[in-house]
Amino acid sequence: MTAVSFIPALVALVLALASARLLVWRVGAPPLQGRFASIDGLRGYLAFFVFLHHACVWYFFSHGEPWQAAPSHLYNHFGQSAVALFFMITAFLFWSKLLDGKQRGVDWAYLYQSRLVRLLPLYWTVLLALLLLVAWRTGFSWQQPWQSQWPALLSWLAFTAAGMPDLNGLPNTSQMLAGVTWSLPYEWLFYLLLPLAGWCMRIAMPRWVWLLGLAAVAWWVIWRPDRLSMLFFLGGIAAAYAVRRPAFCQWAQGARASWLVLALLGFTVWLFPGLHDLPGKWLKYVPLLCLSGAFVLIAAGNSLFGLLHWPVSRMLGEISYSIYLWHGLLLYLLFRQVLPAGQVAGWSPQQFWSVVMLLVPLLIGWCYLSFRLVESPPMNWLKRRRARRQ
């Protein structure tokens, strides 16, 4: 077995599903929510695939290679394609809100409050853990003048909107989280651009929402985000229109559509080493189209032969944000603090992946606690607050 064999990924996924099954048995399955239940199941697999991607990166990094994508189509797509599909989910859900709002309006205040309440508490909790680890690694003393640390800290507090700078002089601070926070500014840029789309749809909005849209445009011009990463949001926008066609949704929920989803995903993984740095001017758009096609079918109700509606899949989906944010820190603690780096450097792929598999149940259990104790209470509070006002 090599370090990039599919067998460790398969075994780790089985362990994750078994751990989630135990949670379902103990606490019950998350409810099927709304018309887009397949997306709830999809989230969990995407987050866990990102974990597998970074575990593979850690193998080569522990064996003296640079921190970079692994030499494997499969493990690269576990990271890059999973994040691309996350972008599509975001675009689909929020563009759908705009389309629905053309008739009944959009509660802009609740839209942005819900995003802050959904994303901020867990993010700041993980950031606090990161700051404590940085303090410990730097001997609980300032390695640089504390006044110079404010810009870096503010960037981290604001979802790394200005990058992921090192903290207190500790090199490669972002590796402690496996660099996963790079995607959060893209998500927020999309949220803040929604008022411009709302204006095009002639949806009423207060002045402060207009200002958010203008600020987003200014941020785009200054930041200049990666164009391909932004294009993946188009797949979700296309899905928001496709699901409004009943005939298409009926076909998308059939077995033939399930095979088509698997074919599109398999074609992408087999032919392309990743999503970025592909040769040719137009070749980079082929995986974009394939992933978008697969996502449109899933958004329209395709459950991949029932897999995405399975209670265990929905349990993984419920804790997907925690998996996404916590897994990098757990991998770092395992391979830099718990285990001696020199020891890991001498491990075979079998030894390395065996330890990763031992981490899987801990990851799932920890992320469930994170969801219940950190993510869920603020969301429930906001829902109760809105219900009292209505």
Side-chain angles (χ1 to χ4, degrees):
M1 185 181 74
T2 66
V4 295
S5 169
F6 76 93
I7 296 175
L10 181 61
V11 175
L13 180 59
V14 170
L15 287 173
L17 293 173
S19 302
R21 179 66 184 87
L22 182 61
L23 287 174
V24 170
W25 175 67
R26 292 290 296 176
V27 302
L32 279 168
Q33 298 180 357
R35 297 175 294 163
F36 311 122
S38 295
I39 290 179
D40 294 333
L42 177 64
R43 282 192 183 101
Y45 292 100
L46 297 181
F48 191 74
F49 289 159
V50 176
F51 162 73
L52 292 176
H53 165 77
H54 286 127
C56 189
V57 170
W58 264 107
Y59 173 84
F60 291 98
F61 185 64
S62 299
H63 286 70
E65 298 292 330
W67 182 270
Q68 60 185 15
S72 162
H73 286 211
L74 178 64
Y75 284 93
N76 280 348
H77 282 286
F78 276 164
Q80 296 177 15
S81 292
V83 173
L85 288 166
F86 270 130
F87 287 167
M88 293 183 195
I89 291 174
T90 293
F92 169 71
L93 294 176
F94 285 87
W95 203 267
S96 296
K97 292 180 184 294
L98 294 185
L99 293 178
D100 294 338
K102 291 170 68 175
Q103 300 297 327
R104 59 177 185 239
V106 173
D107 188 344
W108 292 99
Y110 182 76
L111 186 151
Y112 286 110
Q113 287 171 3
S114 65
R115 286 297 83 198
L116 285 171
V117 166
R118 179 70 183 90
L119 301 178
L120 196 61
L122 178 61
Y123 175 75
W124 277 4
T125 301
V126 174
L127 179 58
L128 177 60
L130 174 67
L131 293 175
L132 291 173
L133 185 56
V134 169
W136 181 57
R137 286 293 310 274
T138 55
F140 293 97
S141 62
W142 291 108
Q143 303 302 310
Q144 296 179 345
W146 67 268
Q147 299 92 334
S148 66
Q149 295 301 298
W150 284 110
L153 181 58
L154 288 174
S155 180
W156 279 96
L157 286 170
F159 295 97
T160 62
M164 299 178 286
D166 293 337
L167 294 169
N168 201 24
L170 186 65
N172 302 316
T173 300
S174 63
Q175 285 182 7
M176 294 180 172
L177 298 181
V180 297
T181 58
W182 76 268
S183 66
L184 298 180
Y186 285 89
E187 297 265 350
W188 275 106
L189 179 59
F190 181 82
Y191 299 143
L192 297 176
L193 287 170
L194 287 174
L196 300 183
W199 174 75
C200 293
M201 297 179 187
R202 298 182 179 180
I203 298 174
M205 64 189 73
R207 184 176 299 177
W208 66 267
V209 177
W210 270 102
L211 295 177
L212 285 180
L214 295 177
V217 173
W219 183 20
W220 186 319
V221 172
I222 296 171
W223 176 24
R224 296 185 180 180
D226 176 66
R227 182 181 302 177
L228 183 61
S229 296
M230 292 302 299
L231 286 176
F232 282 111
F233 288 99
L234 294 178
I237 293 173
Y241 289 100
V243 300
R244 281 161 170 74
R245 298 181 175 273
F248 174 76
C249 291
Q250 183 177 2
W251 181 84
Q253 294 168 22
R256 291 183 178 179
S258 294
W259 286 115
L260 180 57
V261 170
L262 293 177
L264 288 169
L265 296 176
F267 177 82
T268 303
V269 173
W270 180 44
L271 286 184
F272 300 97
L275 302 181
H276 302 277
D277 301 322
L278 295 175
K281 184 178 181 180
W282 302 106
L283 190 61
K284 62 183 178 181
Y285 299 113
V286 176
L288 164 64
L289 294 173
C290 291
L291 291 175
S292 297
F295 178 77
V296 167
L297 292 171
I298 292 173
N302 187 276
S303 64
L304 288 177
F305 304 104
L307 176 66
L308 300 182
H309 289 175
W310 189 26
V312 172
S313 301
R314 288 186 280 114
M315 175 59 77
L316 280 182
E318 189 165 65
I319 63 174
S320 59
Y321 185 43
S322 283
I323 293 175
Y324 186 76
L325 285 188
W326 279 117
H327 78 268
L329 195 62
L330 292 181
L331 286 169
Y332 180 86
L333 289 172
L334 177 63
F335 292 119
R336 277 295 179 266
Q337 305 305 135
V338 176
L339 299 170
Q343 177 183 348
V344 179
W347 280 0
S348 67
Q350 291 88 339
Q351 291 172 307
F352 179 89
W353 280 110
S354 296
V355 172
V356 171
M357 290 171 194
L358 293 175
L359 181 63
V360 170
L362 176 62
L363 172 69
I364 301 302
W366 176 260
C367 290
Y368 176 74
L369 290 176
S370 173
F371 173 79
R372 288 297 299 270
L373 300 178
V374 180
E375 293 185 65
S376 187
M379 291 189 292
N380 292 336
W381 168 81
L382 184 62
K383 290 177 182 177
R384 290 193 301 267
R385 181 171 176 265
R386 190 188 194 196
R388 287 195 300 266
R389 290 187 171 185
Q390 289 179 342

